[in-house]
Amino acid sequence: MKIAIDAMGGDFAPQAVIEGTLLASEELPSDVKLILIGKEQVIQELLHTPTLASNNIEIIHAEEVVEMGEHPTKALTQKTKSSIAIGYGMLKAGQVNAFCSAGNTGAMHVGAMFSIKAIEGVMRPCLSSHVPKEDGSYGVILDIGANAECKPDVLEQFAVIGSIYAKHILGIKNPRVGLMNIGEEEQKGTQILQSTHQLLKANSKINFIGNIEGRDVYSDKADVIVCDGYTGNVILKMAESVYDVMHKRGLEDEFFAKFNYEAIGGSPILGVNGNVVIGHGVSSPLAIKNMILLAKKMAESNIYLNIKQALSS
């Protein structure tokens, strides 16, 4: 297995990315190769430091870097030799099994759509995130920012995709799907949510348990939380802020520690022809390590192929 990592992506790249890659390499078997894509000389200088050395790491040179503030489409069009462009090129060619980056989120989205492209039948690829539960397990929430507004049929497809992810990545045999709303009753919420409720209720491919509310997010009520990207992003950022406030006040708790973005490491793009994980722009070495480990799990399960098969049937 080969996992490509954008060495130049993130506010603290390349140092944090390389350190995180080395942390991951220590936990991975020798047959998993980690490929750092970026400015070779810079990477080599860091890897030659006594504390930064590993036998299962390769380097692919990339002359250009897509900066965090650049316009995604324009940057990828003009910077064909950037680490993001090369990473997607390798993924498309089958040279790597997954690609990770904590760089420009928009460029990662655009790169996915124009290189490996959406799986046939997928209306809108989405971003997902793991949701910690009070019992120690995890669920999944989607979308968390890729699609601010969604029609009912798109939300219904998120439910199917999320169920496949929960089954193959989280190991949940019959994932329970909940629709995020302002009340449990079918008639609650916007017209879009009411229509979505009816579609999910009639879909035999999922285990729909009805509407859920904000207070249910971290309970064991649902394994898959379906919402538009606007709502999902607010929920995700609120959770991160809770951790930040508690950390600043010196309050430590095992459950709330999972709200820290570093615990998961990144957000998979689901619905595209390949395994892609986007990390937080401020990713630390620990976050990079967990982003890589998540990418490995996705590659092992062939999650995108499972989604492709489910939608084709």
Side-chain angles (χ1 to χ4, degrees), residues 119 122 126 128 130 140 142 156-177 203 205-207 223-226 270-271 275 297-298 301-313:
I119 292 171
V122 170
C126 60
S128 67
H130 291 188
V140 61
L142 64 171
E156 180 189 18
Q157 194 171 75
F158 288 172
V160 175
I161 292 173
S163 294
I164 297 168
Y165 184 89
K167 180 178 180 180
H168 292 279
I169 300 298
L170 300 179
I172 303 171
K173 291 184 179 180
N174 189 25
R176 296 158 297 170
V177 176
N203 193 321
K205 292 183 178 181
I206 61 173
N207 178 18
D223 303 302
V224 179
I225 299 174
V226 175
L270 300 179
N275 301 305
K297 186 176 288 188
M298 291 174 64
S301 68
N302 285 321
I303 184 64
Y304 82 94
L305 293 178
N306 283 295
I307 293 172
K308 189 173 185 177
Q309 182 179 7
L311 294 181
S312 65
S313 61

Short mmCIF file of all heavy atoms in Angstrom, two decimals, residues 119 122 126 128 130 140 142 156-177 203 205-207 223-226 270-271 275 297-298 301-313:
data_model
loop_
_atom_site.label_atom_id
_atom_site.label_comp_id
_atom_site.label_asym_id
_atom_site.label_seq_id
_atom_site.Cartn_x
_atom_site.Cartn_y
_atom_site.Cartn_z
N ILE A 119 -17.87 9.71 -8.37
CA ILE A 119 -18.36 8.38 -8.75
C ILE A 119 -19.63 8.54 -9.57
O ILE A 119 -20.47 9.39 -9.27
CB ILE A 119 -18.65 7.54 -7.48
CG1 ILE A 119 -17.35 7.22 -6.74
CG2 ILE A 119 -19.41 6.27 -7.82
CD1 ILE A 119 -17.55 6.60 -5.38
N VAL A 122 -23.18 9.82 -8.28
CA VAL A 122 -23.10 10.70 -7.12
C VAL A 122 -23.43 12.13 -7.56
O VAL A 122 -22.78 12.68 -8.44
CB VAL A 122 -21.69 10.66 -6.47
CG1 VAL A 122 -21.55 11.77 -5.43
CG2 VAL A 122 -21.45 9.31 -5.84
N CYS A 126 -19.28 14.73 -0.81
CA CYS A 126 -19.41 15.48 0.45
C CYS A 126 -18.22 15.24 1.37
O CYS A 126 -17.42 14.32 1.16
CB CYS A 126 -20.70 15.07 1.16
SG CYS A 126 -20.77 13.31 1.58
N SER A 128 -17.06 14.41 5.30
CA SER A 128 -17.61 13.76 6.48
C SER A 128 -16.65 13.91 7.65
O SER A 128 -15.48 14.24 7.48
CB SER A 128 -17.85 12.27 6.21
OG SER A 128 -16.63 11.59 6.01
N HIS A 130 -15.94 12.16 11.85
CA HIS A 130 -16.34 11.24 12.91
C HIS A 130 -16.94 12.03 14.07
O HIS A 130 -16.50 13.14 14.37
CB HIS A 130 -15.14 10.46 13.42
CG HIS A 130 -14.62 9.47 12.41
ND1 HIS A 130 -13.65 8.54 12.72
CD2 HIS A 130 -14.93 9.27 11.12
CE1 HIS A 130 -13.40 7.81 11.65
NE2 HIS A 130 -14.16 8.24 10.67
N VAL A 140 -20.78 9.03 12.33
CA VAL A 140 -20.29 9.86 11.24
C VAL A 140 -21.34 10.91 10.91
O VAL A 140 -22.55 10.64 10.98
CB VAL A 140 -19.95 9.01 9.99
CG1 VAL A 140 -21.18 8.27 9.47
CG2 VAL A 140 -19.33 9.87 8.90
N LEU A 142 -22.38 13.91 7.93
CA LEU A 142 -22.13 14.40 6.59
C LEU A 142 -23.39 15.11 6.07
O LEU A 142 -24.49 14.69 6.41
CB LEU A 142 -21.73 13.27 5.64
CG LEU A 142 -22.68 12.12 5.31
CD1 LEU A 142 -22.11 11.28 4.20
CD2 LEU A 142 -23.02 11.23 6.48
N GLU A 156 -30.64 12.45 0.75
CA GLU A 156 -30.93 11.02 0.78
C GLU A 156 -29.69 10.22 0.38
O GLU A 156 -29.38 9.18 0.98
CB GLU A 156 -32.09 10.69 -0.16
CG GLU A 156 -32.44 9.21 -0.19
CD GLU A 156 -33.43 8.86 -1.29
OE1 GLU A 156 -33.59 9.66 -2.24
OE2 GLU A 156 -34.04 7.77 -1.21
N GLN A 157 -28.99 10.70 -0.62
CA GLN A 157 -27.77 10.00 -1.06
C GLN A 157 -26.69 10.07 0.01
O GLN A 157 -25.94 9.11 0.19
CB GLN A 157 -27.27 10.60 -2.37
CG GLN A 157 -26.23 9.74 -3.06
CD GLN A 157 -25.91 10.23 -4.46
OE1 GLN A 157 -25.22 11.23 -4.63
NE2 GLN A 157 -26.42 9.52 -5.47
N PHE A 158 -26.60 11.18 0.74
CA PHE A 158 -25.65 11.28 1.85
C PHE A 158 -25.92 10.17 2.87
O PHE A 158 -24.99 9.60 3.45
CB PHE A 158 -25.76 12.63 2.55
CG PHE A 158 -25.22 13.79 1.77
CD1 PHE A 158 -25.42 15.09 2.22
CD2 PHE A 158 -24.51 13.61 0.59
CE1 PHE A 158 -24.93 16.19 1.52
CE2 PHE A 158 -24.02 14.69 -0.14
CZ PHE A 158 -24.23 15.98 0.33
N ALA A 159 -27.20 9.88 3.09
CA ALA A 159 -27.58 8.84 4.05
C ALA A 159 -27.06 7.47 3.62
O ALA A 159 -26.57 6.68 4.43
CB ALA A 159 -29.10 8.79 4.21
N VAL A 160 -27.15 7.19 2.32
CA VAL A 160 -26.67 5.92 1.78
C VAL A 160 -25.15 5.85 1.89
O VAL A 160 -24.58 4.86 2.35
CB VAL A 160 -27.11 5.74 0.31
CG1 VAL A 160 -26.50 4.48 -0.28
CG2 VAL A 160 -28.63 5.70 0.22
N ILE A 161 -24.48 6.93 1.45
CA ILE A 161 -23.01 6.98 1.50
C ILE A 161 -22.51 6.88 2.94
O ILE A 161 -21.56 6.16 3.24
CB ILE A 161 -22.50 8.27 0.83
CG1 ILE A 161 -22.78 8.23 -0.67
CG2 ILE A 161 -21.01 8.46 1.09
CD1 ILE A 161 -22.47 9.53 -1.40
N GLY A 162 -23.16 7.62 3.84
CA GLY A 162 -22.76 7.59 5.24
C GLY A 162 -22.94 6.22 5.86
O GLY A 162 -22.12 5.79 6.70
N SER A 163 -23.98 5.52 5.46
CA SER A 163 -24.23 4.17 5.99
C SER A 163 -23.13 3.21 5.55
O SER A 163 -22.67 2.37 6.34
CB SER A 163 -25.59 3.66 5.51
OG SER A 163 -26.64 4.43 6.06
N ILE A 164 -22.69 3.34 4.31
CA ILE A 164 -21.62 2.49 3.79
C ILE A 164 -20.31 2.78 4.53
O ILE A 164 -19.57 1.87 4.91
CB ILE A 164 -21.44 2.72 2.28
CG1 ILE A 164 -22.71 2.29 1.54
CG2 ILE A 164 -20.23 1.93 1.75
CD1 ILE A 164 -22.75 2.74 0.09
N TYR A 165 -20.06 4.06 4.78
CA TYR A 165 -18.85 4.46 5.50
C TYR A 165 -18.87 3.91 6.93
O TYR A 165 -17.88 3.35 7.41
CB TYR A 165 -18.74 5.99 5.52
CG TYR A 165 -17.47 6.50 6.16
CD1 TYR A 165 -16.33 6.71 5.39
CD2 TYR A 165 -17.41 6.79 7.52
CE1 TYR A 165 -15.16 7.19 5.97
CE2 TYR A 165 -16.25 7.26 8.10
CZ TYR A 165 -15.13 7.46 7.32
OH TYR A 165 -13.97 7.92 7.90
N ALA A 166 -20.01 4.06 7.60
CA ALA A 166 -20.13 3.59 8.98
C ALA A 166 -19.95 2.08 9.07
O ALA A 166 -19.36 1.57 10.02
CB ALA A 166 -21.49 3.99 9.55
N LYS A 167 -20.42 1.38 8.07
CA LYS A 167 -20.31 -0.08 8.06
C LYS A 167 -18.88 -0.53 7.84
O LYS A 167 -18.37 -1.40 8.56
CB LYS A 167 -21.22 -0.66 6.98
CG LYS A 167 -21.18 -2.17 6.89
CD LYS A 167 -22.15 -2.69 5.81
CE LYS A 167 -22.10 -4.21 5.72
NZ LYS A 167 -23.04 -4.72 4.67
N HIS A 168 -18.20 0.05 6.85
CA HIS A 168 -16.87 -0.44 6.46
C HIS A 168 -15.71 0.21 7.21
O HIS A 168 -14.65 -0.41 7.35
CB HIS A 168 -16.68 -0.26 4.95
CG HIS A 168 -17.57 -1.13 4.13
ND1 HIS A 168 -17.28 -2.45 3.86
CD2 HIS A 168 -18.77 -0.88 3.52
CE1 HIS A 168 -18.25 -2.98 3.12
NE2 HIS A 168 -19.16 -2.05 2.91
N ILE A 169 -15.89 1.43 7.69
CA ILE A 169 -14.81 2.12 8.39
C ILE A 169 -14.99 2.05 9.91
O ILE A 169 -14.03 1.81 10.65
CB ILE A 169 -14.71 3.60 7.97
CG1 ILE A 169 -14.43 3.71 6.46
CG2 ILE A 169 -13.61 4.31 8.75
CD1 ILE A 169 -13.12 3.10 6.02
N LEU A 170 -16.22 2.20 10.37
CA LEU A 170 -16.48 2.19 11.80
C LEU A 170 -16.91 0.81 12.31
O LEU A 170 -17.02 0.61 13.52
CB LEU A 170 -17.55 3.23 12.16
CG LEU A 170 -17.21 4.68 11.78
CD1 LEU A 170 -18.36 5.61 12.17
CD2 LEU A 170 -15.92 5.13 12.47
N GLY A 171 -17.16 -0.12 11.39
CA GLY A 171 -17.51 -1.48 11.79
C GLY A 171 -18.89 -1.65 12.38
O GLY A 171 -19.14 -2.55 13.18
N ILE A 172 -19.83 -0.79 11.98
CA ILE A 172 -21.20 -0.86 12.48
C ILE A 172 -22.04 -1.66 11.48
O ILE A 172 -22.19 -1.26 10.32
CB ILE A 172 -21.80 0.55 12.67
CG1 ILE A 172 -20.90 1.36 13.63
CG2 ILE A 172 -23.22 0.47 13.20
CD1 ILE A 172 -21.29 2.83 13.72
N LYS A 173 -22.58 -2.78 11.90
CA LYS A 173 -23.25 -3.71 10.98
C LYS A 173 -24.50 -3.11 10.33
O LYS A 173 -24.71 -3.27 9.13
CB LYS A 173 -23.62 -5.00 11.73
CG LYS A 173 -22.42 -5.84 12.11
CD LYS A 173 -22.86 -7.15 12.77
CE LYS A 173 -21.65 -8.01 13.12
NZ LYS A 173 -22.05 -9.30 13.76
N ASN A 174 -25.34 -2.48 11.10
CA ASN A 174 -26.58 -1.92 10.57
C ASN A 174 -26.74 -0.49 11.07
O ASN A 174 -27.53 -0.21 11.97
CB ASN A 174 -27.78 -2.78 11.02
CG ASN A 174 -29.07 -2.39 10.32
OD1 ASN A 174 -29.06 -1.84 9.22
ND2 ASN A 174 -30.20 -2.66 10.98
N PRO A 175 -25.99 0.45 10.48
CA PRO A 175 -25.95 1.83 10.98
C PRO A 175 -27.32 2.49 11.00
O PRO A 175 -28.09 2.41 10.04
CB PRO A 175 -25.03 2.53 9.96
CG PRO A 175 -24.26 1.45 9.31
CD PRO A 175 -25.19 0.27 9.26
N ARG A 176 -27.61 3.15 12.11
CA ARG A 176 -28.87 3.88 12.24
C ARG A 176 -28.68 5.30 11.69
O ARG A 176 -27.75 6.00 12.07
CB ARG A 176 -29.28 3.94 13.72
CG ARG A 176 -29.59 2.59 14.34
CD ARG A 176 -29.47 2.64 15.85
NE ARG A 176 -28.09 2.95 16.23
CZ ARG A 176 -27.73 3.25 17.48
NH1 ARG A 176 -28.62 3.28 18.45
NH2 ARG A 176 -26.46 3.51 17.76
N VAL A 177 -29.57 5.71 10.82
CA VAL A 177 -29.48 7.01 10.16
C VAL A 177 -30.46 7.99 10.79
O VAL A 177 -31.66 7.69 10.91
CB VAL A 177 -29.76 6.90 8.66
CG1 VAL A 177 -29.75 8.28 8.00
CG2 VAL A 177 -28.76 5.98 7.99
N ASN A 203 -36.65 4.59 1.88
CA ASN A 203 -35.43 3.99 1.32
C ASN A 203 -35.09 2.70 2.06
O ASN A 203 -34.72 2.73 3.24
CB ASN A 203 -34.27 4.98 1.42
CG ASN A 203 -33.07 4.57 0.59
OD1 ASN A 203 -32.74 3.39 0.52
ND2 ASN A 203 -32.41 5.53 -0.04
N LYS A 205 -32.56 0.80 1.60
CA LYS A 205 -31.12 0.56 1.70
C LYS A 205 -30.52 1.05 3.01
O LYS A 205 -29.37 0.74 3.32
CB LYS A 205 -30.38 1.26 0.54
CG LYS A 205 -30.66 0.66 -0.83
CD LYS A 205 -29.82 1.36 -1.88
CE LYS A 205 -30.04 0.76 -3.27
NZ LYS A 205 -29.20 1.45 -4.29
N ILE A 206 -31.29 1.81 3.77
CA ILE A 206 -30.77 2.38 5.01
C ILE A 206 -31.67 2.04 6.20
O ILE A 206 -32.83 1.67 6.03
CB ILE A 206 -30.63 3.91 4.90
CG1 ILE A 206 -32.00 4.56 4.65
CG2 ILE A 206 -29.63 4.29 3.82
CD1 ILE A 206 -31.98 6.07 4.69
N ASN A 207 -31.12 2.19 7.38
CA ASN A 207 -31.84 1.96 8.62
C ASN A 207 -32.20 3.32 9.21
O ASN A 207 -31.53 3.82 10.11
CB ASN A 207 -30.98 1.14 9.58
CG ASN A 207 -31.65 0.90 10.92
OD1 ASN A 207 -32.87 1.04 11.05
ND2 ASN A 207 -30.87 0.53 11.91
N ASP A 223 -26.10 6.51 14.25
CA ASP A 223 -24.71 6.26 13.85
C ASP A 223 -24.31 7.14 12.67
O ASP A 223 -23.13 7.42 12.47
CB ASP A 223 -24.53 4.79 13.46
CG ASP A 223 -24.94 3.85 14.56
OD1 ASP A 223 -24.36 3.95 15.67
OD2 ASP A 223 -25.85 3.02 14.34
N VAL A 224 -25.30 7.53 11.88
CA VAL A 224 -25.07 8.38 10.71
C VAL A 224 -25.98 9.61 10.85
O VAL A 224 -27.20 9.48 10.92
CB VAL A 224 -25.40 7.65 9.40
CG1 VAL A 224 -25.17 8.57 8.20
CG2 VAL A 224 -24.56 6.39 9.26
N ILE A 225 -25.36 10.79 10.91
CA ILE A 225 -26.12 12.03 11.01
C ILE A 225 -26.09 12.73 9.66
O ILE A 225 -25.01 13.04 9.14
CB ILE A 225 -25.54 12.95 12.10
CG1 ILE A 225 -25.61 12.25 13.46
CG2 ILE A 225 -26.29 14.28 12.14
CD1 ILE A 225 -24.91 13.02 14.57
N VAL A 226 -27.26 12.96 9.10
CA VAL A 226 -27.37 13.57 7.77
C VAL A 226 -27.80 15.02 7.88
O VAL A 226 -28.78 15.34 8.58
CB VAL A 226 -28.38 12.79 6.90
CG1 VAL A 226 -28.57 13.49 5.55
CG2 VAL A 226 -27.92 11.36 6.69
N LEU A 270 -16.12 11.96 0.41
CA LEU A 270 -16.84 10.75 0.02
C LEU A 270 -17.65 10.99 -1.25
O LEU A 270 -18.27 12.04 -1.41
CB LEU A 270 -17.77 10.30 1.16
CG LEU A 270 -17.09 9.98 2.48
CD1 LEU A 270 -18.13 9.58 3.53
CD2 LEU A 270 -16.05 8.89 2.31
N GLY A 271 -17.61 10.00 -2.13
CA GLY A 271 -18.34 10.11 -3.39
C GLY A 271 -17.45 10.37 -4.59
O GLY A 271 -17.94 10.63 -5.69
N ASN A 275 -9.47 7.49 -2.54
CA ASN A 275 -9.45 7.75 -1.10
C ASN A 275 -8.72 9.05 -0.83
O ASN A 275 -7.51 9.14 -1.05
CB ASN A 275 -8.76 6.59 -0.37
CG ASN A 275 -9.45 5.26 -0.61
OD1 ASN A 275 -10.65 5.12 -0.37
ND2 ASN A 275 -8.70 4.29 -1.10
N LYS A 297 -6.92 3.22 6.67
CA LYS A 297 -8.14 2.45 6.94
C LYS A 297 -9.10 2.52 5.75
O LYS A 297 -9.73 1.53 5.39
CB LYS A 297 -8.81 2.98 8.21
CG LYS A 297 -10.01 2.16 8.66
CD LYS A 297 -10.59 2.67 9.96
CE LYS A 297 -9.68 2.34 11.13
NZ LYS A 297 -10.33 2.67 12.43
N MET A 298 -9.20 3.69 5.14
CA MET A 298 -10.05 3.85 3.96
C MET A 298 -9.55 3.02 2.80
O MET A 298 -10.33 2.38 2.09
CB MET A 298 -10.13 5.33 3.57
CG MET A 298 -10.89 6.20 4.56
SD MET A 298 -10.81 7.95 4.12
CE MET A 298 -11.69 7.96 2.55
N SER A 301 -10.21 -0.77 3.30
CA SER A 301 -11.61 -1.18 3.14
C SER A 301 -12.14 -0.93 1.73
O SER A 301 -13.27 -1.33 1.43
CB SER A 301 -12.48 -0.42 4.14
OG SER A 301 -12.53 0.96 3.81
N ASN A 302 -11.33 -0.26 0.89
CA ASN A 302 -11.80 0.10 -0.45
C ASN A 302 -13.15 0.82 -0.38
O ASN A 302 -14.09 0.50 -1.10
CB ASN A 302 -11.93 -1.14 -1.33
CG ASN A 302 -10.60 -1.67 -1.80
OD1 ASN A 302 -9.70 -0.91 -2.12
ND2 ASN A 302 -10.44 -2.99 -1.82
N ILE A 303 -13.24 1.79 0.51
CA ILE A 303 -14.51 2.44 0.79
C ILE A 303 -15.15 3.05 -0.46
O ILE A 303 -16.36 2.94 -0.67
CB ILE A 303 -14.35 3.51 1.90
CG1 ILE A 303 -15.69 4.11 2.27
CG2 ILE A 303 -13.34 4.57 1.53
CD1 ILE A 303 -16.66 3.12 2.87
N TYR A 304 -14.34 3.68 -1.31
CA TYR A 304 -14.94 4.32 -2.48
C TYR A 304 -15.50 3.28 -3.46
O TYR A 304 -16.50 3.54 -4.14
CB TYR A 304 -13.94 5.25 -3.17
CG TYR A 304 -12.96 4.61 -4.10
CD1 TYR A 304 -13.20 4.52 -5.48
CD2 TYR A 304 -11.76 4.09 -3.62
CE1 TYR A 304 -12.28 3.93 -6.33
CE2 TYR A 304 -10.85 3.51 -4.46
CZ TYR A 304 -11.11 3.43 -5.83
OH TYR A 304 -10.19 2.84 -6.66
N LEU A 305 -14.88 2.08 -3.50
CA LEU A 305 -15.40 1.03 -4.36
C LEU A 305 -16.71 0.47 -3.79
O LEU A 305 -17.61 0.10 -4.54
CB LEU A 305 -14.38 -0.08 -4.51
CG LEU A 305 -13.10 0.28 -5.28
CD1 LEU A 305 -12.13 -0.90 -5.31
CD2 LEU A 305 -13.44 0.71 -6.71
N ASN A 306 -16.80 0.40 -2.48
CA ASN A 306 -18.05 -0.04 -1.85
C ASN A 306 -19.18 0.94 -2.13
O ASN A 306 -20.33 0.53 -2.35
CB ASN A 306 -17.84 -0.20 -0.34
CG ASN A 306 -17.09 -1.48 0.01
OD1 ASN A 306 -17.57 -2.58 -0.22
ND2 ASN A 306 -15.89 -1.34 0.55
N ILE A 307 -18.87 2.23 -2.09
CA ILE A 307 -19.87 3.25 -2.40
C ILE A 307 -20.29 3.14 -3.86
O ILE A 307 -21.48 3.19 -4.20
CB ILE A 307 -19.31 4.66 -2.10
CG1 ILE A 307 -19.10 4.83 -0.59
CG2 ILE A 307 -20.25 5.73 -2.64
CD1 ILE A 307 -18.38 6.11 -0.21
N LYS A 308 -19.30 2.96 -4.72
CA LYS A 308 -19.56 2.82 -6.16
C LYS A 308 -20.46 1.63 -6.45
O LYS A 308 -21.42 1.72 -7.22
CB LYS A 308 -18.22 2.68 -6.90
CG LYS A 308 -18.32 2.74 -8.40
CD LYS A 308 -16.92 2.75 -9.01
CE LYS A 308 -16.97 2.95 -10.51
NZ LYS A 308 -15.61 3.03 -11.10
N GLN A 309 -20.17 0.49 -5.83
CA GLN A 309 -20.97 -0.70 -6.02
C GLN A 309 -22.39 -0.53 -5.52
O GLN A 309 -23.35 -0.94 -6.17
CB GLN A 309 -20.30 -1.89 -5.32
CG GLN A 309 -21.04 -3.20 -5.52
CD GLN A 309 -20.33 -4.37 -4.82
OE1 GLN A 309 -19.36 -4.15 -4.09
NE2 GLN A 309 -20.82 -5.56 -5.03
N ALA A 310 -22.53 0.09 -4.37
CA ALA A 310 -23.86 0.28 -3.77
C ALA A 310 -24.73 1.18 -4.65
O ALA A 310 -25.92 0.93 -4.83
CB ALA A 310 -23.72 0.88 -2.38
N LEU A 311 -24.14 2.23 -5.20
CA LEU A 311 -24.92 3.16 -6.02
C LEU A 311 -25.26 2.57 -7.38
O LEU A 311 -26.29 2.88 -7.96
CB LEU A 311 -24.16 4.47 -6.18
CG LEU A 311 -23.96 5.29 -4.89
CD1 LEU A 311 -23.22 6.58 -5.18
CD2 LEU A 311 -25.29 5.58 -4.23
N SER A 312 -24.37 1.72 -7.90
CA SER A 312 -24.63 1.10 -9.21
C SER A 312 -25.74 0.05 -9.13
O SER A 312 -26.41 -0.23 -10.11
CB SER A 312 -23.36 0.46 -9.75
OG SER A 312 -22.95 -0.62 -8.93
N SER A 313 -25.94 -0.50 -7.92
CA SER A 313 -26.97 -1.52 -7.76
C SER A 313 -28.33 -0.91 -7.42
O SER A 313 -29.32 -1.60 -7.36
CB SER A 313 -26.57 -2.50 -6.66
OG SER A 313 -26.43 -1.85 -5.43
#
